Amino acid sequence: MIRHANADDLDTIAALHLAARATYYRGHVPEEEYAGPEELARTRAAWSGAVGRGQVLCAERDGEVAGVAAYRPVDGVMTLTQLHVRPDRWRRGVGAELHAACLEAWRAEGVTTARLQVFDRNERAKAFYAAHGWTPDAGAPRSGTHLVLRLTVEAATE
């Protein structure tokens, strides 16, 4: 089930976010940048703002939040700012369902193009986004250690 997140989800979302990030940052980024109590508090505060804007979707499995996605316009372009799945739920369709729900929301808002950034060493995420039609942004393909990807949001077919 995909639903909008609410304030009761914040602790779960923040913990999920940190667990997912640790899998691809470990060994590439200093641990204090993705783990620890200070990072958990910062992450929870950031998610609180996103939940307050109503642009966070949760995927539930067996009564638990298994994945989360957040999006918002940035510089006039819809941006997928976060998409994380609990590591123990990888490769079970959670990310694909969240992605599809984001596309549905964007279509309803009339969005025709979207953008995201992915850590350049996160091979699993890069493969996921490529499989879903995301391509390098021709105008700005990098932002620091992240690749910038774009997606043309096709209109829904009846």
Side-chain angles (χ1 to χ4, degrees):
M1 173 177 84
I2 304 292
R3 63 172 175 80
H4 283 278
N6 61 60
D8 292 338
D9 296 316
L10 287 172
D11 290 333
T12 301
I13 290 170
L16 185 157
H17 177 140
L18 263 54
R21 287 178 72 204
T23 64
Y24 57 85
Y25 279 153
R26 188 172 290 119
H28 304 292
V29 174
E31 187 171 329
E32 60 272 9
E33 291 185 27
Y34 65 83
E38 293 85 13
E39 183 61 13
L40 180 60
R42 188 196 67 73
T43 297
R44 189 184 190 287
W47 279 103
S48 179
V51 168
R53 288 188 299 274
Q55 296 171 314
V56 177
L57 301 174
C58 288
E60 281 191 4
R61 297 293 185 278
D62 305 319
E64 297 179 331
V65 175
V68 63
Y71 56 88
R72 66 184 172 92
V74 176
D75 298 330
V77 178
M78 185 56 71
T79 302
L80 180 61
T81 57
Q82 305 285 341
L83 195 154
H84 298 291
V85 175
R86 276 183 23 194
D88 65 336
R89 298 291 184 145
W90 285 346
R91 310 213 44 88
R92 297 185 188 177
V94 175
E97 285 185 38
L98 280 166
H99 187 267
C102 289
L103 288 173
E104 183 178 321
W106 298 341
R107 286 183 187 112
E109 294 180 29
V111 171
T112 59
T113 186
R115 172 178 55 207
L116 66 77
Q117 292 185 20
V118 61
F119 184 54
D120 61 4
R121 294 183 181 221
N122 189 343
E123 298 301 327
R124 182 181 44 260
K126 291 187 320 188
F128 173 86
Y129 292 124
H132 286 87
W134 294 82
T135 58
D137 184 323
R142 294 192 66 82
S143 178
T145 60
H146 288 68
L147 304 176
V148 180
L149 305 179
R150 284 208 179 242
L151 177 72
T152 299
V153 179
E154 302 291 338
T157 55
E158 303 279 328

